[in-house]
Amino acid sequence: MSSFLTEAQRAALDAALAERLAAGAGKAAKGSHHAPGTGPHAGDKKSKSSKGSGATKKGGAGGKFTWGRMLEGEEGVSALDRNDPNYDSDEERSVLMAANSSHSRVQAEVAAYKQEVNAIVEEYFSSGDVSNAADSLSELGPVETMGHYFVKRLVTLALDRKDKEREMASSLLSNLYAEVLSGEQVQKGFARLVESLDDLLLDVPDAVELLSLFIARGVVDDVLPPACIQRWASGAPEGSNLAALKARCELHLAARHSAERMLRCWGSGAGQSYAETKERIAKLLSEYLDSRDAAEASRCLRGLSVPFFHHELVKQALHAAMETPAHTEAVIALLKRLSESSEVNSSQLAKGFQRTAANLADTALDNPAAPDAFSSTLEAAAAAGLLEAELLAELRAAAAAAPGAAERPASSASAGGGSGLASASGAAAAAAAAAAAAGGAAAGAANGVGLGGAGVPAFKVAMATALKEFFNSADAQEVAARLLELGQPGLHPLFVKQVVTLAMDRRDREREMASGLLSELHPSVISDDQMVSGFTRLLSAADDLVLDIPEAVHLLSLFLGRAVVDEVLPPAFLASCLPSLPDGGLGITVVQATGAMLSQRHAAERLQTCWHGGGLSLEDVRKQMRDALDEFMVAGSSSEVAAVLKDLGLPHFHHELVKAAVELGFEYPDKAQQLTGLLRQLSGSGVISSTQMAQGLKRIKDSMADETLDAPGAPAAFEKLLAQAAAEGWLPAETAALTA
């Protein structure tokens, strides 16, 4: 099978995309924004690897599969003997000069590499774009040998900054681990940091505490092995800074709920997932609306250190004004103060208003008065001088097209002299909003409930609860029964959007469950039209989703492609949905990416397994782990076992492999040392975390009575394993004590 799409389907999609892109050309709004990595210059990557003098390597005497220069020793310096009858002092002098020149060249290359690394880190702290940092580092040069310089520089710069940058640094290391940076280079980078601890203390007085948090977080994130700090600090004099660092690391990792604590070690507002940052913004806004203390709100906003996310504050403030019109004056006063002080720049302000306008149709489902309230807020913002004329005209057009806005006089859309200023992008936004409103109205009509019906919020809450239970129980029939019990088929498109949105912000397991659930519910519970409407809503909201989930475009394309392969959506949907999507929106990008995936060879097979091992049952996972162990006992390749664990993508279930390995050691005593060595390697490389290791061993201890029935020597073998693990340092002593 060459591709999933037929030639006719592919041709229809190409024609629809070409027509849609041509229609949208030149219509980009003045305040439009691009998600990280999707801007007009996203593909312009300037190589940063232009380093070196251009001279031949090793003076023309080195290189792969060559003998090297004659008389050249292991260190690259000719081994000349002054007592040799052929000794020539001029020759020795030239050799030493060549060696010094080579050493200087290497030093220059390292210095240039460090300088480029510094620029990459600074740019990452400014943009927060993980993919761009990964690309830049890969382009820079030999990451496999010089990546430790990046690790050291990243952490060093983060030490002297705020918690936000420290969280960004920890997250970046976790994202780059095994993909760009090898475990060896990460460990080497941290080892260099530990070696320079005394120097770090001169610039960062609390470097011991901060570095201990970075190391403990690395262990929890599985980028550092648990035994690393013991190796680095072995023989440290009592009372030294190194001994204090070791003690702090052990204290952090031995604490109750250490994994959860370390994941939040940089504070609740420091994360890059934005969920907690949103919560902090909501809290500061709530406090402001109660106290009207704009100075305090400004201080809290500066403390978050997220200037690229200030549009969320604008959006939440506008929603507060729409929900409670009495807050409108206070909201405008706050936005005016933040705008005049440049704490919220014009781009972020415009983006916040645009996000609110784009979702006005959905907002009207919960609050029928939202369009009118938004129009009133717009006029107040215009009176305060917050919005430029062109943007104001665009927003007025979107508000006029929102559901429930038809009865307003047409003149309100052109009040203030904006009638002649509506841009083409504003007209497109109005058309998109009208299409969304029409879809929502149809949904409400089908259900016999108006868009602002009281059943809509209750439906969303009920389905959120049902989906949460589903992700725990995997009972699709219960979800189907709940949907039928609610008896609101007109709101099923909202459910489709809700299930995909929730799954996108979770792991592959939940994403696979979500795809399977949609396939299970179609068409018996969710009809073709409802499924089409739900995915159209998703694509229209792609620009908003990418603000909360940076990889939303990729995930949406996988969900869409999987839906087509599962016959939940027809292939023709890709072409037919395009006219409903906003000009220049990321929804069009998602459709393009999906079409490309479906046109590849073996597209169906690839998309059916796009969520890796997420759809496997626990029995299937156990079987794959046991098969990997059986193969290991024959071939002795620990890397194959590590590859199986990585492919499964279930780090929270690694304790099952630990338990299975120990039980195999009980069953085959002659293989016990080989299996113990496997656990040591997996722990030392960070593949299995100390938490999972301890949990697996604790399960063995708890079931020792049953183990003894099958293997009478199990208790003695288990005690030997624990003692060996503690002695070799790949299992922390306190963990061994807990499981002993």
Side-chain angles (χ1 to χ4, degrees):
M1 182 176 178
S2 58
S3 73
F4 186 85
L5 296 179
T6 65
E7 291 186 9
Q9 290 169 342
R10 182 67 215 186
L13 176 59
D14 289 341
L17 280 169
E19 181 181 354
R20 188 68 182 83
L21 293 173
K27 293 185 177 181
K30 183 176 181 180
S32 64
H33 63 281
H34 298 276
T38 63
H41 303 291
D44 301 341
K45 301 236 179 243
K46 182 180 179 181
S47 175
K48 300 174 183 175
S49 58
S50 55
K51 56 183 184 296
S53 62
T56 57
K57 291 177 66 176
K58 299 184 182 178
K64 214 170 185 180
F65 311 117
T66 66
W67 288 98
R69 182 177 295 168
M70 291 185 65
L71 300 180
E72 187 174 1
E74 292 182 358
E75 301 301 323
V77 179
S78 298
L80 296 180
D81 186 356
R82 292 176 181 271
N83 296 319
D84 193 308
N86 296 319
Y87 168 72
D88 184 347
S89 60
D90 290 336
E91 181 182 353
E92 181 179 29
R93 190 159 39 249
S94 65
V95 168
L96 290 174
M97 290 176 63
N100 290 333
S101 174
S102 176
H103 181 66
S104 299
R105 185 169 63 253
V106 171
Q107 283 186 323
E109 291 183 0
V110 170
Y113 186 88
K114 289 181 177 180
Q115 187 175 359
E116 293 288 354
V117 158
N118 192 79
I120 293 173
V121 174
E122 292 287 358
E123 183 178 351
Y124 169 67
F125 283 157
S126 298
S127 67
D129 192 338
V130 174
S131 60
N132 185 59
D135 291 342
S136 299
L137 187 59
S138 299
E139 291 174 3
L140 183 54
V143 182
E144 64 278 1
T145 58
M146 300 180 73
H148 61 280
Y149 290 115
F150 173 81
V151 175
K152 181 181 178 183
R153 192 59 184 162
L154 174 66
V155 176
T156 301
L157 288 175
L159 286 175
D160 202 24
R161 300 210 177 194
K162 296 182 179 180
D163 284 344
K164 170 181 170 286
E165 286 80 8
R166 294 163 189 158
E167 173 63 27
M168 291 176 71
S170 293
S171 298
L172 182 61
L173 288 176
S174 180
N175 278 285
L176 298 183
Y177 181 75
E179 299 294 334
V180 179
L181 293 170
S182 66
E184 178 187 0
Q185 288 297 308
V186 173
Q187 292 181 43
K188 189 174 180 180
F190 273 95
R192 295 286 180 87
L193 282 163
V194 171
E195 291 170 3
S196 61
L197 180 58
D198 291 334
D199 291 335
L200 288 174
L201 283 166
L202 298 176
D203 298 324
V204 186
D206 51 349
V208 170
E209 175 62 20
L210 295 176
L211 187 54
S212 69
L213 287 172
F214 267 112
I215 293 173
R217 173 65 179 271
V219 172
V220 169
D221 286 342
D222 291 336
V223 302
L224 290 174
C228 62
I229 187 61
Q230 296 182 7
R231 184 169 65 250
W232 297 333
S234 60
E238 187 175 352
S240 65
N241 293 323
L242 191 53
L245 177 67
K246 178 176 180 291
R248 294 301 300 170
C249 290
E250 292 175 345
L251 180 64
H252 290 317
L253 293 172
R256 189 178 181 186
H257 306 303
S258 60
E260 292 78 5
R261 288 173 181 265
M262 287 302 100
L263 289 174
R264 297 175 178 270
C265 65
W266 304 122
S268 60
Q272 279 204 173
S273 67
Y274 300 128
E276 291 175 344
T277 309
K278 277 185 171 182
E279 187 178 339
R280 291 281 295 275
I281 289 175
K283 184 178 179 181
L284 79 84
L285 189 59
S286 175
E287 291 176 354
Y288 165 73
L289 293 174
D290 286 339
S291 66
R292 305 298 168 95
D293 188 347
E296 177 64 15
S298 175
R299 186 192 66 79
C300 292
L301 185 63
R302 288 196 303 271
L304 289 177
S305 298
V306 286
F308 54 88
F309 200 51
H310 284 172
H311 55 80
E312 177 65 24
L313 171 72
V314 178
K315 179 187 174 184
Q316 290 195 25
L318 293 174
H319 275 274
M322 287 189 289
E323 291 170 5
T324 309
H327 290 330
T328 302
E329 183 179 349
V331 164
I332 297 300
L334 176 63
L335 295 180
K336 183 175 176 63
R337 174 193 171 101
L338 295 176
S339 176
E340 289 177 345
S341 64
S342 297
E343 290 173 271
V344 173
N345 62 39
S346 59
S347 174
Q348 293 292 309
L349 188 69
K351 191 182 296 185
F353 273 93
Q354 288 171 329
R355 287 183 63 196
T356 306
N359 286 317
L360 206 52
D362 282 343
T363 306
L365 293 175
D366 298 329
N367 179 11
D372 288 321
F374 183 64
S375 294
S376 300
T377 306
L378 278 182
E379 300 311 316
L386 291 176
L387 303 173
E388 296 181 2
E390 188 174 353
L391 175 62
L392 181 61
E394 174 188 335
L395 296 173
R396 282 170 172 162
E407 67 274 11
R408 288 197 302 273
S411 59
S412 65
S414 58
S419 58
L421 296 171
S423 63
S425 60
N447 190 37
V449 179
L451 280 172
V456 174
F459 177 85
K460 288 184 175 181
V461 171
M463 293 322 303
T465 303
L467 287 172
K468 184 176 181 181
E469 293 175 357
F470 168 71
F471 287 142
N472 290 326
S473 66
D475 189 349
Q477 294 303 317
E478 180 64 27
V479 179
R482 186 70 178 127
L483 277 170
L484 294 174
E485 178 186 337
L486 290 173
Q488 296 179 324
L491 299 181
H492 286 179
L494 297 181
F495 169 77
V496 174
K497 179 182 177 184
Q498 191 173 18
V499 66
V500 175
T501 303
L502 286 175
M504 283 173 61
D505 205 21
R506 296 192 175 217
R507 300 184 180 184
D508 282 347
R509 172 182 174 272
E510 287 81 4
R511 294 164 187 162
E512 173 64 32
M513 292 175 70
S515 292
L517 177 63
L518 293 178
S519 180
E520 184 86 11
L521 297 179
H522 175 266
S524 58
V525 179
I526 301 178
S527 68
D528 291 339
D529 290 342
Q530 292 163 357
M531 195 68 73
V532 164
S533 178
F535 270 93
T536 302
R537 283 174 174 268
L538 271 169
L539 294 173
S540 298
D543 292 270
D544 269 352
L545 288 173
V546 81
L547 297 172
D548 297 333
I549 307 169
E551 65 273 21
V553 171
H554 175 62
L555 295 176
L556 271 178
S557 64
L558 290 177
F559 269 112
L560 182 56
R562 175 65 179 271
V564 173
V565 168
D566 288 344
E567 298 184 358
V568 170
L569 290 172
F573 169 78
L574 298 178
S576 63
C577 72
L578 288 172
S580 304
L581 303 182
D583 287 332
L586 292 176
I588 298 176
T589 304
V590 172
V591 173
Q592 285 179 305
T594 306
M597 283 192 293
L598 289 170
S599 300
Q600 294 175 356
R601 295 185 61 189
H602 309 298
E605 292 82 354
R606 292 184 179 186
L607 285 166
Q608 282 172 346
T609 58
C610 63
W611 305 125
H612 306 294
L616 296 175
S617 67
L618 292 183
E619 287 305 317
D620 291 335
V621 173
R622 289 190 179 100
K623 183 178 185 303
Q624 288 201 24
M625 289 182 173
R626 184 60 183 258
D627 290 346
L629 289 173
D630 290 341
E631 185 176 345
F632 168 75
M633 289 194 297
V634 175
S637 175
S638 61
S639 60
E640 288 298 324
V641 180
V644 169
L645 292 179
K646 182 179 179 182
D647 289 342
L648 286 173
L650 299 170
H652 58 282
F653 200 60
H654 286 175
H655 57 81
E656 178 64 29
L657 183 129
V658 176
K659 180 175 182 289
V662 176
E663 287 177 336
L664 281 175
F666 294 160
E667 186 177 351
Y668 304 101
D670 58 321
K671 298 287 187 180
Q673 278 301 314
Q674 182 183 3
L675 290 163
T676 300
L678 171 66
L679 294 180
R680 180 178 63 248
Q681 292 178 34
L682 295 177
S683 174
S685 62
V687 174
I688 296 181
S689 68
S690 59
T691 303
Q692 291 295 305
M693 187 70 70
Q695 188 173 348
L697 295 175
K698 187 176 185 302
R699 290 179 63 195
I700 292 290
K701 179 178 174 61
D702 293 342
S703 62
M704 186 56 70
D706 293 335
E707 301 287 353
T708 306
L709 294 176
D710 298 327
F718 186 57
E719 293 298 330
K720 180 180 178 181
L721 169 66
L722 291 179
Q724 180 178 346
E728 292 176 348
W730 55 272
L731 189 69
E734 61 271 15
T735 307
L738 288 172
T739 54

